[in-house]
Amino acid sequence: MKYFFLTDGWQIGRVWEPQGLWDVQAWRRSPVITHTCLYILEGSEKLWLYQVEEIVVMVEVKPSHPNPESTIGQVTLKRLMSAEDVLTYLSTTPSITAIQIDKTCPSSGLQR
């Protein structure tokens, strides 16, 4: 599995696999992307940990409610993290003020 952090208020857009843009008809399913119950606070931002299946190579993310004055409209995450990368990030990043588990979310997470 691979992982990425997504700021609260952002959503997942397009997803790529090695052959190109994810094709639901060819795969006969959507990609497996799970919103976990773990989040970190980095400054004033809440960053949720997401898990994606191994075949995913890139994920596009964008604000849920775009700000017309913002220069960031969408971002493509090209380097997804391994479980080891996540643990290293959590244990070595000094700007993380808290690591939390949302006890209200289902233990299985939410699939896209």
Side-chain angles (χ1 to χ4, degrees):
M1 295 303 252
K2 296 178 185 175
Y3 300 86
F4 65 93
F5 286 97
L6 185 60
T7 301
D8 207 18
W10 282 58
Q11 63 186 9
I12 297 166
R14 298 176 294 180
V15 176
W16 285 265
E17 47 99 1
Q19 308 305 314
L21 196 57
W22 189 279
D23 184 351
V24 174
Q25 291 179 337
W27 280 91
R28 297 184 182 173
R29 64 180 177 82
S30 295
V32 177
I33 301 174
T34 305
H35 178 285
T36 70
C37 296
L38 179 77
Y39 66 90
I40 59 174
L41 294 176
E42 196 165 352
S44 62
E45 283 190 277
K46 185 185 279 189
L47 302 169
W48 288 94
L49 182 66
Y50 281 76
Q51 182 181 48
V52 298
E53 64 182 295
E54 192 65 35
I55 195 72
V56 172
V57 294
M58 287 190 305
V59 177
E60 174 189 70
V61 297
K62 52 191 174 183
S64 299
H65 304 288
N67 179 353
E69 297 174 11
S70 176
T71 57
I72 298 177
Q74 65 189 39
V75 175
T76 303
L77 304 174
K78 294 183 181 180
R79 186 179 172 276
L80 300 172
M81 305 166 81
S82 68
E84 286 180 0
D85 293 336
V86 171
L87 291 173
T88 300
Y89 181 75
L90 293 175
S91 63
T92 61
T93 304
S95 60
I96 296 173
T97 56
I99 300 171
Q100 302 287 321
I101 295 177
D102 182 352
K103 293 180 171 88
T104 63
C105 78
S107 59
S108 63
L110 302 172
Q111 283 196 351
R112 178 173 186 231

